[in-house]
Amino acid sequence: MAGDSKDSVDSRSTIENTLQGLQNAKQFAFDIGLSLVKIAYSSTVSRPVTTVDCKIKKNGAAGRRLHFIQFRIEKFKECLDFIQKECASVSRRTAACAGAGTNEYERTIADALRVDIVFFCQGLMRRLSRFRKVDDMDCLVRGNNFLLNNLCDEAFTYDHHSETCKYSFEAINNKPSFPYLLVNIGTGTCIYRVESDEKFERVGGSSIGGGSFFGLGSLLTDIFDFDILMQMAEEGDHRNMDVLVSDIYEGRTRKLGLTEDLIAGSFGKIAVLYSDSKPANRIYFGGFFVRNHPIVMRTLSFAVEYWSKGKMQAQFLRHESYTAVIGAFLLGLETHNEKYPQDADMSYKFSWKEHYTGSTELGRFVPTAPLSSGFNVGVLELECCDMKLCSFPLLRNSVVYCPDTVSLNHDREAREFWLSCMADSIEKTVSKAVESQFNCSNVEERADSVKKKYLSYLTILREKPLYTFHFIAYGCCNVRNLLDLREQLLNEYYFDDAYLHQKRVENEMALCELHDVLVEVDRIEDSRERQYTVMRGLLAGNVFDWGAKEVVKRLESSSCQFTFQSATAALQERRWLIDDLDEWLDAFQKKKYRCVLLFVDNSGADVVLGVIPFAREFLKCGTKVIIACNSSPALNDITASELTVLLGRISQIDSVLAEALEAKLLLVSDNGQGSPCLDLRRVNSSLCDLATKSGVDLIVIEGMGRAIHTNFEAEFTCDSLRVAVIKTKWLADRLGGRLFSVVCKFRQARDAVE
């Protein structure tokens, strides 16, 4: 409006850009504090599909997205007005509320949203005119468990003395390590022992906490800004104020086995004492006093490690500030489903993942800390995976399993290489995206937006110091995250399958060659020689990777014809870079494998001329074969739905494969992922069940992304074979090889670690 001030216009613009997807939002939750408000709601997101004629089909499947937003309470009424306007046509809305400021805003929320209000406050839940008892920590505990269950690298420890990265992340565990202690340090301190979503108890606490710090700090300094006081504490020397062990025992500290500058009492020590009296596997710290404050994390980390004698570590959550509103949303969703069973939302039973491009830090460029002036907001968005993901059951030790061979948080050389590599490759990726939708009028504009945004995110990662929270927005930054971010950006701009056109072309070419390849294989009478031949074919097929710069040069070169035959002929001569081929051939001849599970890579020559002949040799021996592919597109990787269609056509070419499909000895399953890498902490539960029921006793992981960038050191309770061709010079140099070196890594089964 003409008379609006610039601040008013900026505020309205921020609200509109932040509160997205409200048009179909039905469930809301609020965590109302004294200075901050957190809002949660769910929305449906359209997923357009690229068609055969290179257009976009707009009425694709709808996905679910969760939005969590925090901002200053002064803007709450303005946000509610916007929500009311955007949700005017939505019926059957429900809301759940938590926090100390709930009572004050009860009427405001009811009038603005016209919802059935559900309050979780001070031990009571009020729904319409009825009351029932609910523990006031329900929201915090459920939110905590939800984050630990769903987000990779959510929990971390803090090491102030580390020279590379101060944050170390704990692998996601689909079953949180119950029981654990949850220490919430807000105005005061509460300590809870958590055994499940429903079972937890308060085991201790104190009136001392952030309120005491702020009160004392204000009296001592005449400063009334919490963040400035924290900064002063960071720069000061606590030994001038704290009561140390040396103050109590003077010269006797060494005899007691204590250091002189050890603080005589601390929350960390208290937490350890409680974990001794109430046994717990983990100690998680949260609350506004801890959140994003290195000095507090440092003090707690030292105390817990010291007083537990190194047996325990203080752990923190990346998204701890959203735990209460997440829990309130989940509890409110249960109420909504009970009240409106015909409109129930069961997505909470599925797994969720971070939507990087919709969250602050590396998503929307909105400042998040301090939330003390202007209209700053923090945003976390999660996407529903539409399936339940769980840890792969054949991992030898799922607790210590880490998919990534290299952490970009700790390896500066690797970080610089991969950030540059991703920046260099985005041009080719968006050009393929345009090629797949060349009949769409605005395709160039959308592709350019993807490119600019992705490069801007990479710039943030390159420029932000490793010790800041900006850099750990991903958790443990790695190749997987960078690839996931790129795919999310492509999807945001309606490129659901950037390499669709390229995959179709290469699949058709490979199908034309398949019969001749199988005939050549069948002419070999010696089984060992035949297995060696299909292994070479598997490796040759893996060269056809549009995610590798050197391969792309050859594929697009007009001076040479790069074919499956030429790739096979050009394979590295033995000995290979990692050469366990003889051990593998011995195992293949001596063992009668019951079921083999293949995690496969690319479309075209890779899957049709490499994987299929390799799998066929097992089928001829009576071995069941499960081929696991991506659930959703990434680069030119084959998806489960695409391979299912391909196998229908392949069965018309070869009777062995046709009979195996008919007898259900050859199966296709989606792995629950959409990445060139493979994270075995997050595998489709249906594939996990299938692997267990089928008695899988051999795992084959193919491709550089799945077998080298990830899972290179993974251990399994069955035999495993990792095969790949190194198509990146930097990686080849690191491994002591050269470009197009061959990796054939065979390992026999190891006993499981309980």
Side-chain angles (χ1 to χ4, degrees):
M1 297 180 183
D4 288 350
S5 67
K6 182 179 183 301
D7 287 345
S8 176
V9 172
D10 289 344
S11 176
R12 188 163 57 247
S13 175
T14 301
I15 291 174
E16 292 174 357
N17 290 331
T18 303
L19 296 170
Q20 298 184 355
L22 286 168
Q23 293 78 6
N24 47 43
K26 293 186 177 182
Q27 297 88 41
F28 291 86
F30 302 90
D31 176 16
I32 307 172
L34 300 179
S35 59
L36 295 179
V37 175
K38 287 79 176 269
I39 295 179
Y41 62 93
S42 64
S43 68
T44 56
V45 182
S46 175
R47 292 176 177 170
V49 177
T50 305
T51 61
V52 178
D53 57 353
C54 299
K55 294 181 179 179
I56 299 177
K57 181 181 178 182
K58 285 291 183 73
N59 58 341
R64 300 292 297 176
R65 188 171 291 173
L66 294 181
H67 308 255
F68 306 104
I69 299 141
Q70 61 176 329
F71 51 86
R72 297 287 301 180
I73 200 165
E74 292 83 359
K75 298 295 180 179
F76 190 23
K77 181 62 168 63
E78 192 174 349
C79 287
L80 285 176
D81 291 343
F82 180 76
I83 293 173
Q84 180 184 27
K85 182 183 73 172
E86 292 294 303
C87 296
S89 61
V90 180
S91 60
R92 295 174 178 169
R93 280 173 284 173
T94 56
C97 296
T102 294
N103 291 335
E104 181 180 348
Y105 287 91
E106 172 182 353
R107 194 70 265 154
T108 304
I109 297 172
D111 292 343
L113 301 186
R114 299 187 182 93
V115 296
D116 298 334
I117 299 294
V118 183
F119 284 103
F120 300 90
C121 183
Q122 299 175 349
L124 294 176
M125 181 178 85
R126 183 163 71 224
R127 183 175 60 199
L128 300 177
S129 59
R130 292 177 292 165
F131 288 80
R132 72 180 173 93
K133 290 281 186 179
V134 175
D135 193 299
D136 60 358
M137 279 295 290
D138 254 359
C139 299
L140 200 58
V141 169
R142 288 196 181 220
N144 209 69
N145 290 340
F146 181 85
L147 290 173
L148 291 172
N149 276 330
N150 285 282
L151 302 193
C152 294
D153 306 321
E154 176 63 26
F156 66 91
T157 57
Y158 181 84
D159 180 5
H160 179 69
H161 300 290
S162 174
E163 295 182 358
T164 53
C165 182
K166 300 181 185 301
Y167 305 95
S168 295
F169 296 90
E170 184 179 62
I172 187 172
N173 189 343
N174 298 103
K175 296 180 180 178
S177 299
F178 296 122
Y180 66 78
L181 289 186
L182 179 58
V183 184
N184 191 56
I185 309 178
T187 303
T189 302
C190 291
I191 303 177
Y192 290 83
R193 185 175 186 268
V194 180
E195 296 185 43
S196 68
D197 277 352
E198 294 79 21
K199 188 176 181 181
F200 52 87
E201 62 175 335
R202 187 180 188 276
V203 295
S206 171
S207 60
I208 299 174
S212 305
F213 170 82
F214 182 73
L216 289 171
S218 301
L219 289 172
L220 291 169
T221 64
D222 287 331
I223 291 174
F224 297 91
D225 187 300
F226 184 83
D227 294 298
I228 294 177
L229 287 171
M230 273 293 182
Q231 184 178 352
M232 293 174 67
E234 181 74 34
E235 296 170 353
D237 188 342
H238 72 93
R239 291 173 296 184
N240 295 329
M241 298 295 294
D242 284 331
V243 177
L244 307 177
V245 170
S246 59
D247 296 326
I248 300 174
Y249 296 104
E250 297 181 344
R252 294 174 291 159
T253 55
R254 288 189 177 181
K255 292 181 179 180
L256 296 172
L258 303 172
T259 59
E260 292 186 352
D261 60 351
L262 184 66
I263 300 174
S266 73
F267 290 125
K269 178 181 179 181
I270 293 170
V272 171
L273 291 174
Y274 276 115
S275 72
D276 288 339
S277 62
K278 300 283 186 178
N281 296 322
R282 299 281 193 279
I283 303 177
Y284 295 105
F285 289 88
F288 77 85
F289 186 64
V290 177
R291 190 177 307 142
N292 205 359
H293 294 131
I295 186 173
V296 179
M297 292 190 292
R298 181 179 70 210
T299 304
L300 291 171
S301 298
F302 174 81
V304 169
E305 183 176 16
Y306 183 89
W307 291 109
S308 70
K309 298 181 180 179
K311 294 179 181 178
M312 303 195 78
Q313 290 181 299
Q315 294 192 306
F316 313 93
L317 302 188
R318 286 190 292 133
H319 301 103
E320 180 275 333
S321 60
Y322 297 102
T323 50
V325 76
I326 290 173
F329 179 84
L330 294 173
L331 288 164
L333 187 60
E334 290 180 6
T335 301
H336 175 90
N337 290 344
E338 291 172 6
K339 187 172 180 61
Y340 305 115
Q342 71 278 22
D343 193 32
D345 179 358
M346 306 306 292
S347 61
Y348 70 95
K349 292 188 175 182
F350 294 137
S351 295
W352 294 77
K353 61 183 178 182
E354 286 180 78
H355 183 235
Y356 298 122
T357 61
S359 303
T360 44
E361 307 296 3
L362 295 180
R364 301 173 191 155
F365 292 95
V366 183
T368 58
L371 291 171
S372 55
S373 61
F375 188 16
N376 300 334
V377 299
V379 182
L380 168 65
E381 287 186 358
L382 305 180
E383 282 195 330
C384 185
C385 299
D386 296 327
M387 64 185 72
K388 188 67 178 176
L389 304 178
C390 59
S391 180
F392 188 60
L394 298 179
L395 284 170
R396 180 171 180 253
N397 189 340
S398 61
V399 175
V400 302
Y401 164 79
C402 176
D404 307 299
T405 305
V406 175
S407 166
L408 304 190
N409 288 40
H410 296 275
D411 192 324
R412 294 177 183 271
E413 179 190 340
R415 182 175 74 255
E416 184 57 36
F417 167 77
W418 282 111
L419 291 176
S420 298
C421 180
M422 295 297 176
D424 292 342
S425 65
I426 189 62
E427 181 68 46
K428 175 55 62 180
T429 300
V430 297
S431 71
K432 287 296 176 183
V434 170
E435 191 177 275
S436 289
Q437 294 183 5
F438 66 83
N439 280 329
C440 297
S441 58
N442 64 342
V443 64
E444 296 279 359
E445 180 182 343
R446 288 186 286 116
D448 189 56
S449 295
V450 172
K451 176 184 173 181
K452 287 179 178 177
K453 278 200 170 185
Y454 191 59
L455 291 175
S456 66
Y457 298 155
L458 296 181
T459 299
I460 292 176
L461 285 175
R462 192 187 300 274
E463 294 179 352
K464 291 295 180 182
L466 278 169
Y467 55 81
T468 66
F469 261 65
H470 292 80
F471 191 85
I472 67 163
Y474 283 127
C476 187
C477 189
N478 48 57
V479 179
R480 286 182 300 108
N481 299 142
L482 300 179
L483 292 168
D484 288 346
L485 175 61
R486 185 174 66 188
E487 290 302 321
Q488 286 185 9
L489 270 174
L490 287 165
N491 291 336
E492 283 296 294
Y493 286 92
Y494 303 142
F495 295 110
D496 64 302
D497 195 349
Y499 283 77
L500 178 63
H501 178 72
Q502 188 67 46
K503 289 189 291 184
R504 284 174 175 160
V505 170
E506 293 189 3
N507 284 340
E508 292 301 322
M509 292 174 60
L511 284 171
C512 293
E513 296 183 57
L514 179 59
H515 177 266
D516 292 342
V517 169
L518 296 180
V519 169
E520 287 297 319
V521 170
D522 287 344
R523 284 176 180 166
I524 303 172
E525 295 183 0
D526 182 74
S527 62
R528 189 180 182 92
E529 181 64 23
R530 192 166 58 248
Q531 180 60 210
Y532 173 54
T533 299
V534 295
M535 172 61 76
R536 284 178 56 83
L538 183 64
L539 291 164
N542 189 242
V543 173
F544 291 81
D545 185 352
W546 282 88
K549 182 179 178 180
E550 295 299 326
V551 174
V552 172
K553 286 181 181 178
R554 298 193 180 197
L555 290 171
E556 295 187 329
S557 173
S558 58
S559 61
C560 67
Q561 187 70 19
F562 192 52
T563 64
F564 178 73
Q565 287 73 21
S566 63
T568 304
L571 273 180
Q572 178 189 17
E573 294 294 329
R574 297 185 66 193
R575 289 202 53 92
W576 294 333
L577 178 61
I578 298 178
D579 195 337
D580 294 334
L581 179 63
D582 292 331
E583 290 87 341
W584 160 242
L585 294 177
D586 290 342
F588 180 78
Q589 288 191 306
K590 293 177 182 178
K591 295 185 178 181
K592 170 65 175 175
Y593 286 110
R594 182 171 50 250
C595 181
V596 56
L597 172 59
L598 289 91
F599 289 97
V600 298
D601 195 358
N602 307 300
S603 296
D606 191 356
V607 69
V608 176
L609 304 180
V611 171
I612 293 301
F614 181 79
R616 184 171 173 266
E617 288 303 301
F618 288 98
L619 295 170
K620 287 161 65 176
C621 297
T623 300
K624 185 176 183 178
V625 175
I626 303 170
I627 303 180
C629 313
N630 276 358
S631 303
S632 55
L635 291 173
N636 65 318
D637 292 4
I638 189 79
T639 65
S641 58
E642 290 169 341
L643 183 57
T644 300
V645 173
L646 269 179
L647 285 177
R649 298 179 63 185
I650 288 172
S651 66
Q652 299 174 16
I653 298 173
D654 181 70
S655 60
V656 173
L657 295 167
E659 291 170 5
L661 284 168
E662 179 69 24
K664 292 185 169 35
L665 286 176
L666 176 58
L667 302 174
V668 177
S669 179
D670 64 276
N671 59 23
Q673 301 181 26
S675 169
C677 297
L678 177 63
D679 185 352
L680 292 174
R681 301 171 299 184
R682 306 267 288 171
V683 178
N684 189 347
S685 60
S686 64
L687 174 57
C688 294
D689 293 341
L690 180 61
T692 301
K693 292 176 182 177
S694 300
V696 168
D697 49 0
L698 173 65
I699 294 171
V700 180
I701 306 178
E702 181 230 2
M704 198 164 65
R706 293 170 180 81
I708 297 180
H709 296 321
T710 53
N711 300 300
F712 191 60
E713 301 296 341
E715 295 182 340
F716 300 94
T717 57
C718 65
D719 288 2
S720 62
L721 178 65
R722 272 150 280 209
V723 292
V725 175
I726 308 297
K727 292 154 288 196
T728 304
K729 186 178 184 305
W730 175 85
L731 181 60
D733 292 341
R734 270 237 166 166
L735 295 176
R738 56 183 175 81
L739 197 62
F740 298 112
S741 290
V742 169
V743 170
C744 177
K745 183 177 180 179
F746 176 68
R747 294 292 182 269
Q748 294 192 9
R750 300 280 307 275
D751 292 335
V753 176
E754 297 296 333

